[in-house]
Amino acid sequence: MAVKKPSIHDIAREAGVGVGTVSRVLNERPNVAEATRAKVEGVMERLGYRPTFAARHIRTGRSQLFGFLTDQVTTTPFAHDLIKGAQARARQADRMLMVIDADGDDRVREQAVSNLIERGVEGIVYAAMFHHEVHVPQALHEVPTVLVDCFTLERDFASVVPDEVRGGREATERLLEEGHRRIGMVTNDLLATKYPAAVGRLEGYRAALDAAGVAYDAELVREGLGNADSGYRFAHDLLDLDDPPTAFFFGTDRMAMGAYFAFAERGLRVPDDVSVVGFDDQHYIADALRPALTTMALPHSAMGRWAVDHLLTAPWGDDRLPLQRRLPCPIVERGSVGPVPASDAGEEP
Amino acid sequence: MAVKKPSIHDIAREAGVGVGTVSRVLNERPNVAEATRAKVEGVMERLGYRPTFAARHIRTGRSQLFGFLTDQVTTTPFAHDLIKGAQARARQADRMLMVIDADGDDRVREQAVSNLIERGVEGIVYAAMFHHEVHVPQALHEVPTVLVDCFTLERDFASVVPDEVRGGREATERLLEEGHRRIGMVTNDLLATKYPAAVGRLEGYRAALDAAGVAYDAELVREGLGNADSGYRFAHDLLDLDDPPTAFFFGTDRMAMGAYFAFAERGLRVPDDVSVVGFDDQHYIADALRPALTTMALPHSAMGRWAVDHLLTAPWGDDRLPLQRRLPCPIVERGSVGPVPASDAGEEP
DNA sequence: AGTTCCACTGGAATCGGTTCCACGAGGGAG
DNA sequence: CTCCCTCGTGGAACCGATTCCAGTGGAACT
């Protein structure tokens, strides 16, 4: 350890001015003579001065800090997009983000919230890695909070989630628009209707068919588990039907990936023989498939950005109902959707 | 805004004690009478008191904070494991982690380092998302720093990286041990020997062959680009050889994934007809493939943990050469490696 | 010449903690 | 009974910034 870091007093003494003047220079206040400013800045430069943020914080009460807390264990690759989105918005506003991975442990999570509050955060983003209902630490009520990709049953926090229904509808519409009428769907785990990602996407699928005047056929819908095996198995199942689908909508990209292997085994080419739309835009999968997979992107970055933006701009004093926001899942066109194959096209009027 | 948050002085007044006593209770010092402690704690509870971290920080000089700064744009799913590892170790030591995604912008990065220093971090972890040489902001010299998955040419910072050579050797050994002698390898982009992930893994491959007394055959080695297409194309290429390989070692899981499609097209089953080892353990790919892919895991979590541990425990005063640490890449056994197929086994003595 | 105004400046008070010194009470030893 | 030590305690000083009030000196105005 060489020497103690210089403080504003050291600068003042060295420059032969008062501490107030140094502070004014530091904060670029207008009422400082140019000569004085230059002198002070010279001394700062020479001594390698850096302001101490904590001192400013304690005096002004502004921490310029937001907390970002993740729910549960997060082995998904989504976390990072979320953080990036949140951080991008925070940086615009000259704020920093304290990220904490709560690791699925309730006590860790409570502890983390306490820590963040003690560090004076101006708000907290509480993010789940898949869309579901959550129970959050009580202390979150002490500070402005936005829930991301999740919600409480009581709706007592602002929240932002993907618009699953609309995503499911648009995915299906994309296939309808190419002329497909027999569209197979494999949903995520519907598990007691708890997961919006499963229920909502299926609802969107039905809505799109309705709007297009295509009758819903329960035989074309299977309940998968979200993994590659489900996609593989149910793709085979559906293709074994008497009147098999010409297109598939999978509730996850991983299921779509499993299905690709089923297609390969049957000698079916994507998108010539069969069209596919996935969901999630896990681009390390979607990009790597051959052909690359057209899929619905979860708006992780946008949700992260929205959350911080809301923390920055929403009026936190009043008692209005916390905003519940849905963000669209844009389609990412790659190469897995094509027109109905000629042999099937005859079915069209 | 209801009322001002209570400070230690409010607690002292309310409890009829001095501020020193409140501070002692807060810090669980032994020399406080039990009755006093109870009384003070009661008042704290009643007033919903929370200490202000910044005040403690400014007085004690301890920020209990580390910075975590990422290099470049990080669209990889690895970032999160790294952060989790670092954070787990930080939490053990009761520290927090400030994560900043520098987004590939030099000025943002410099700014971030300044911010972190002004916030009084006790050290900074500078993490790349793939193993390469980096140029870091000058200001990092002002504070203890560990480089993760990267290094400077001058070796003037402590650094921790994956042991690529050993990983390549062990991957190859796994195949040799099943009796394979013709082992194809597709490397990452070797680009002017800049990337240890490419050069090192190949070196390991050669070392393993050497040790097993298997002659190196340049024909079996191709230089890919790390993506699925490379794997697909070179798998076909290698299988077209007169004496094709019975096993493959791919420098990335994505290339292995591409190869799976080539195998499927040729009716080759993994691992019965052909064995595969990947690298990276991108488990969303490796798990989803059928059969799941045996691959070498990049020790992201361990590197993150090591980095923070080093910041905590290394002696930062002295001028010894900064530690350059290599961490092993453990093999993750899934289902893509099997013995040499019977039809080829005849070649063995 | 006297007054007013303005630009600029110094420094005390303050934020919410920690730390240290001084002090009073009580107990044990001599 | 005195001395000393320990335990528990109060409160001033301090950490490094910001903020505000009270000057100071000179220019402009009357």
Side-chain angles (χ1 to χ4, degrees):
Chain A
M1 195 59 63
V3 283
K4 196 177 69 64
K5 282 182 53 179
S7 80
I8 206 174
H9 290 92
D10 302 317
I11 303 300
R13 184 169 0 90
E14 193 73 14
V17 300
V19 289
T21 302
V22 178
S23 176
R24 280 182 284 264
V25 170
L26 213 49
N27 293 284
E28 294 173 327
R29 294 290 156 75
N31 50 343
V32 180
E34 199 43 55
T36 313
R37 174 187 309 279
K39 184 171 55 178
V40 171
E41 279 173 348
V43 174
M44 284 180 173
E45 179 76 17
R46 183 157 56 79
L47 268 55
Y49 170 77
R50 288 198 185 268
T52 298
F53 198 91
R56 174 174 306 171
H57 172 185
I58 197 182
R59 183 70 236 267
T60 62
R62 268 165 279 145
S63 66
Q64 311 265 91
L65 185 66
F66 287 114
F68 187 105
L69 186 59
T70 64
D71 175 63
Q72 308 263 343
V73 193
T74 58
T75 45
T76 77
F78 299 138
H80 200 239
D81 283 338
L82 219 34
I83 295 173
K84 283 187 72 166
Q87 190 167 78
R89 184 63 185 88
R91 176 157 46 237
Q92 279 176 14
D94 213 34
R95 306 293 206 284
M96 298 206 96
L97 211 59
M98 186 97 83
V99 178
I100 301 183
D101 195 315
D103 235 2
D105 180 334
D106 267 357
R107 279 193 352 99
V108 167
R109 199 150 44 222
E110 308 247 349
Q111 190 59 51
V113 173
S114 280
N115 268 326
L116 288 173
I117 293 178
E118 288 173 15
R119 286 194 126 98
V121 290
E122 299 174 13
I124 293 182
V125 178
Y126 185 97
M129 291 304 134
F130 66 101
H131 191 167
H132 69 311
E133 185 213 334
V134 292
H135 297 272
V136 302
Q138 196 54 31
L140 279 181
H141 284 285
E142 295 178 33
V143 63
T145 295
V146 174
L147 269 31
V148 172
D149 211 5
C150 58
F151 55 90
T152 56
L153 220 47
E154 304 81 15
R155 306 282 172 181
D156 50 355
F157 290 98
S159 114
V160 55
V161 298
D163 192 334
E164 311 281 2
V165 177
R166 182 170 157 191
R169 180 158 48 75
E170 292 182 358
T172 310
E173 281 168 359
R174 178 71 185 83
L175 294 167
L176 288 164
E177 146 192 313
E178 291 285 348
H180 297 280
R181 289 300 176 265
R182 298 285 292 168
I183 301 176
M185 156 142 212
V186 185
T187 72
N188 303 358
D189 188 357
L190 290 168
L191 196 67
T193 73
K194 263 182 73 173
Y195 299 130
V199 182
R201 292 169 197 179
L202 175 58
E203 187 184 329
Y205 166 83
R206 298 193 62 157
L209 293 182
D210 267 12
V214 177
Y216 174 76
D217 181 352
E219 207 177 40
L220 288 176
V221 176
R222 303 297 157 102
E223 180 181 340
L225 297 172
N227 57 17
D229 271 348
S230 294
Y232 175 81
R233 198 166 69 252
F234 289 120
H236 272 311
D237 268 16
L238 290 168
L239 289 168
D240 284 338
L241 291 176
D242 290 336
D243 187 4
T246 59
F248 289 82
F249 170 33
F250 292 98
T252 68
D253 288 351
R254 281 180 300 156
M255 294 198 293
M257 175 174 172
Y260 266 55
F261 284 100
F263 301 149
E265 284 181 12
R266 290 173 170 251
L268 293 174
R269 287 157 308 156
V270 177
D272 307 303
D273 302 318
V274 59
S275 287
V276 183
V277 177
F279 212 113
D280 288 351
D281 192 33
Q282 291 191 212
H283 73 270
Y284 262 70
I285 289 179
D287 265 341
L289 289 171
R290 323 189 66 259
L293 179 67
T294 293
T295 185
M296 311 305 290
L298 287 171
H300 281 110
S301 177
M303 292 192 296
R305 183 180 304 268
W306 189 91
V308 172
D309 187 73
H310 192 64
L311 287 176
L312 283 164
T313 59
W316 289 98
D318 65 18
D319 292 325
R320 263 176 297 181
L321 277 174
L323 218 50
Q324 309 288 312
R325 187 90 150 94
R326 287 184 158 73
L327 256 31
C329 302
I331 191 165
V332 180
E333 293 281 358
R334 290 195 178 90
S336 63
V337 173
V340 180
S343 59
D344 293 71
E347 293 179 14
E348 299 291 300
Chain B
M1 197 58 62
V3 282
K4 195 177 67 66
K5 280 180 54 178
S7 83
I8 206 174
H9 291 92
D10 301 318
I11 304 298
R13 185 168 2 88
E14 194 74 13
V17 301
V19 290
T21 302
V22 178
S23 177
R24 280 182 284 264
V25 170
L26 214 47
N27 293 285
E28 293 173 329
R29 295 289 155 76
N31 52 344
V32 180
E34 198 43 54
T36 313
R37 175 187 307 280
K39 184 172 55 178
V40 171
E41 279 173 347
V43 174
M44 283 179 172
E45 177 76 15
R46 182 157 56 79
L47 268 55
Y49 171 77
R50 290 202 184 264
T52 299
F53 197 90
R56 174 175 307 170
H57 173 184
I58 197 182
R59 184 69 236 265
T60 63
R62 267 164 280 144
S63 66
Q64 311 266 91
L65 186 66
F66 287 114
F68 186 104
L69 186 58
T70 63
D71 176 64
Q72 309 261 344
V73 192
T74 58
T75 45
T76 77
F78 300 138
H80 200 239
D81 283 338
L82 219 35
I83 295 174
K84 281 187 73 166
Q87 190 167 80
R89 183 65 186 86
R91 177 157 45 234
Q92 278 175 14
D94 213 34
R95 305 293 205 283
M96 298 206 97
L97 211 59
M98 186 98 81
V99 179
I100 302 183
D101 195 314
D103 236 1
D105 181 332
D106 266 358
R107 280 193 351 99
V108 168
R109 201 151 42 224
E110 310 246 349
Q111 190 59 50
V113 173
S114 281
N115 268 324
L116 288 173
I117 294 177
E118 289 174 14
R119 287 195 125 98
V121 290
E122 298 174 14
I124 293 181
V125 177
Y126 184 97
M129 292 303 133
F130 66 100
H131 192 166
H132 69 310
E133 186 212 334
V134 292
H135 297 272
V136 302
Q138 196 55 29
L140 279 182
H141 284 283
E142 296 178 32
V143 64
T145 294
V146 174
L147 271 30
V148 172
D149 211 4
C150 59
F151 55 92
T152 56
L153 221 47
E154 303 82 15
R155 305 282 171 182
D156 50 354
F157 290 98
S159 112
V160 56
V161 299
D163 192 335
E164 311 280 3
V165 177
R166 181 169 158 192
R169 180 158 47 75
E170 291 183 356
T172 312
E173 281 168 359
R174 178 69 186 84
L175 294 167
L176 287 165
E177 143 194 315
E178 290 284 349
H180 296 279
R181 288 302 174 266
R182 299 285 292 168
I183 301 175
M185 156 141 211
V186 185
T187 71
N188 303 358
D189 187 357
L190 289 168
L191 196 68
T193 74
K194 263 182 70 171
Y195 300 130
V199 182
R201 292 169 196 180
L202 177 58
E203 188 185 327
Y205 166 83
R206 299 193 62 156
L209 294 181
D210 267 12
V214 177
Y216 174 77
D217 181 351
E219 208 178 40
L220 289 176
V221 175
R222 304 298 157 101
E223 179 180 343
L225 297 172
N227 57 16
D229 270 348
S230 294
Y232 175 81
R233 197 167 69 251
F234 290 120
H236 272 310
D237 269 16
L238 289 167
L239 289 167
D240 284 338
L241 291 177
D242 291 337
D243 186 6
T246 60
F248 289 82
F249 170 33
F250 292 98
T252 66
D253 288 351
R254 281 180 302 156
M255 294 198 292
M257 175 175 172
Y260 266 55
F261 284 99
F263 301 149
E265 285 181 11
R266 289 173 170 252
L268 293 174
R269 286 158 309 154
V270 179
D272 307 303
D273 302 318
V274 59
S275 288
V276 183
V277 177
F279 212 114
D280 289 352
D281 191 33
Q282 292 191 212
H283 73 268
Y284 261 70
I285 290 178
D287 266 340
L289 288 171
R290 320 189 68 258
L293 179 67
T294 294
T295 186
M296 311 304 292
L298 287 170
H300 281 110
S301 176
M303 291 192 296
R305 184 181 303 267
W306 189 91
V308 172
D309 187 72
H310 192 64
L311 287 176
L312 284 164
T313 60
W316 289 97
D318 67 17
D319 292 326
R320 265 175 296 180
L321 278 173
L323 217 50
Q324 309 288 312
R325 187 89 151 91
R326 285 185 159 73
L327 256 31
C329 302
I331 190 166
V332 180
E333 292 283 359
R334 290 193 179 91
S336 62
V337 174
V340 181
S343 57
D344 291 72
E347 292 176 17
E348 299 292 303

